[in-house]
Coordinates of all heavy atoms in Angstrom, one line a residue:
G1 N 0.8 -1.2 0.1 CA 0.0 0.0 0.0 C 0.8 1.3 0.0 O 2.1 1.2 -0.2
P2 N 0.2 2.4 0.2 CA 0.9 3.7 0.3 C 1.9 3.8 1.4 O 1.8 3.2 2.4 CB -0.1 4.7 0.2 CG -1.4 4.1 1.0 CD -1.3 2.5 0.6
D3 N 2.9 4.7 1.0 CA 4.0 5.0 2.2 C 3.6 6.1 3.0 O 4.1 6.1 4.1 CB 5.2 5.5 1.4 CG 5.8 4.4 0.4 OD1 5.8 3.2 0.8 OD2 6.2 4.8 -0.8
D4 N 2.8 7.1 2.5 CA 2.5 8.3 3.2 C 1.3 9.1 2.7 O 0.8 8.7 1.7 CB 3.7 9.1 3.3 CG 4.3 9.5 1.9 OD1 3.6 9.5 0.9 OD2 5.6 9.7 1.8
H5 N 1.0 10.2 3.4 CA 0.1 11.2 2.9 C 0.8 12.5 2.5 O 1.6 12.9 3.4 CB -1.1 11.4 3.9 CG -1.9 10.3 4.2 ND1 -3.1 10.1 3.5 CD2 -1.8 9.3 5.2 CE1 -3.6 9.0 4.0 NE2 -2.9 8.5 5.0
I6 N 0.6 13.0 1.3 CA 1.3 14.3 1.0 C 0.3 15.3 0.6 O -0.8 15.1 0.3 CB 2.2 14.0 -0.2 CG1 1.6 13.7 -1.5 CG2 3.3 12.9 0.1 CD1 2.4 13.5 -2.8
F7 N 0.8 16.6 0.7 CA -0.1 17.7 0.5 C -1.3 17.7 1.4 O -2.4 18.2 1.0 CB -0.4 18.0 -0.9 CG 0.8 18.2 -1.9 CD1 1.4 17.2 -2.6 CD2 1.2 19.6 -1.9 CE1 2.4 17.6 -3.5 CE2 2.3 19.9 -2.7 CZ 2.9 18.8 -3.5
T8 N -1.1 17.4 2.7 CA -2.3 17.2 3.6 C -2.6 18.7 3.9 O -3.7 18.8 4.5 CB -1.8 16.5 4.9 OG1 -0.6 17.1 5.4 CG2 -1.5 15.0 4.5
G9 N -1.8 19.8 3.6 CA -2.3 21.1 3.8 C -3.5 21.4 2.9 O -4.1 22.5 3.2
S10 N -3.7 20.7 1.8 CA -4.8 20.9 1.0 C -5.9 19.9 1.2 O -6.8 19.8 0.3 CB -4.3 20.9 -0.5 OG -3.3 21.8 -0.7
K11 N -5.9 19.1 2.2 CA -6.8 18.1 2.4 C -8.3 18.6 2.5 O -8.6 19.6 3.0 CB -6.4 17.4 3.7 CG -7.4 16.2 4.1 CD -7.2 15.7 5.4 CE -7.5 16.5 6.6 NZ -9.1 16.7 6.7
A12 N -9.2 17.8 1.8 CA -10.5 18.2 1.9 C -11.1 18.2 3.4 O -10.8 17.3 4.2 CB -11.4 17.1 1.2
D13 N -11.8 19.2 3.7 CA -12.2 19.4 5.2 C -13.3 18.4 5.5 O -13.5 18.2 6.8 CB -12.7 20.8 5.3 CG -13.8 21.2 4.5 OD1 -14.4 20.4 3.7 OD2 -14.4 22.4 4.6
W14 N -13.9 17.7 4.6 CA -15.0 16.6 4.9 C -14.3 15.3 5.1 O -15.0 14.3 5.3 CB -16.0 16.6 3.9 CG -15.6 16.6 2.4 CD1 -15.4 17.8 1.6 CD2 -15.1 15.5 1.6 NE1 -14.9 17.5 0.4 CE2 -14.8 16.0 0.4 CE3 -14.9 14.2 2.0 CZ2 -14.3 15.3 -0.7 CZ3 -14.4 13.4 0.9 CH2 -14.1 13.8 -0.3
W15 N -12.9 15.1 4.9 CA -12.5 13.8 5.0 C -11.3 13.9 6.1 O -10.5 14.6 6.2 CB -11.7 13.4 3.8 CG -10.9 12.2 3.8 CD1 -9.6 12.0 3.7 CD2 -11.5 10.9 4.0 NE1 -9.3 10.6 3.9 CE2 -10.5 9.9 4.1 CE3 -12.9 10.3 4.1 CZ2 -10.6 8.6 4.1 CZ3 -13.0 8.9 4.4 CH2 -12.0 8.0 4.3
E16 N -11.4 12.9 7.1 CA -10.4 12.9 8.0 C -9.5 11.6 7.8 O -10.0 10.5 7.6 CB -11.0 12.6 9.5 CG -11.8 13.8 10.0 CD -11.0 15.0 10.1 OE1 -9.7 14.8 10.5 OE2 -11.4 16.2 9.8
I17 N -8.2 11.8 7.8 CA -7.3 10.5 7.6 C -7.3 9.6 8.7 O -7.0 10.0 9.9 CB -5.9 11.2 7.3 CG1 -5.8 12.2 6.1 CG2 -4.8 10.1 7.2 CD1 -4.5 13.0 6.0
P18 N -7.6 8.4 8.4 CA -7.8 7.4 9.5 C -6.7 6.6 10.0 O -6.8 5.8 10.9 CB -9.0 6.6 9.0 CG -8.6 6.4 7.5 CD -8.0 7.9 7.2
D19 N -5.4 6.7 9.4 CA -4.4 5.8 9.6 C -3.2 6.6 10.2 O -3.3 7.8 10.4 CB -3.9 5.1 8.4 CG -3.6 6.0 7.2 OD1 -2.8 6.9 7.4 OD2 -4.3 6.0 6.1
D20 N -2.1 6.0 10.4 CA -1.0 6.5 11.1 C 0.2 6.6 10.2 O 1.4 6.8 10.6 CB -0.5 5.6 12.3 CG -1.6 5.6 13.4 OD1 -2.3 6.7 13.7 OD2 -1.8 4.6 14.0
L21 N 0.0 6.6 8.8 CA 1.1 6.8 7.9 C 1.7 8.1 8.0 O 0.9 9.1 8.5 CB 0.5 6.7 6.4 CG 0.1 5.3 6.1 CD1 -0.5 5.3 4.6 CD2 1.3 4.3 6.0
P22 N 2.9 8.4 7.7 CA 3.5 9.7 7.8 C 2.7 10.8 7.0 O 2.1 10.4 5.9 CB 4.9 9.5 7.2 CG 5.2 8.2 7.5 CD 3.8 7.4 7.3
R23 N 2.8 11.9 7.4 CA 1.9 13.0 6.8 C 3.0 14.2 6.5 O 3.7 14.6 7.4 CB 0.9 13.5 7.6 CG -0.2 12.5 8.0 CD -1.2 12.9 8.9 NE -2.1 11.9 9.4 CZ -3.2 12.0 10.1 NH1 -3.7 13.3 10.3 NH2 -3.9 10.9 10.5
F24 N 2.8 14.8 5.3 CA 3.5 15.9 4.8 C 2.6 17.0 4.3 O 1.7 16.6 3.6 CB 4.5 15.5 3.7 CG 5.4 14.5 4.1 CD1 5.3 13.2 3.9 CD2 6.7 14.8 4.7 CE1 6.1 12.1 4.3 CE2 7.6 13.8 5.2 CZ 7.3 12.5 5.0

């Protein structure tokens, strides 16, 4: 699966990231 979440500063405000992958 994926390594991380990127560009989380632009994340949709209706979606909450549910996992513990690294975030940038």
Side-chain angles (χ1 to χ4, degrees):
D3 303 316
D4 50 30
H5 295 272
I6 63 175
F7 290 101
T8 57
S10 302
K11 181 183 71 66
D13 62 0
W14 44 263
W15 176 250
E16 293 301 324
I17 299 174
D19 56 57
D20 295 325
L21 291 175
R23 304 180 188 186
F24 301 90

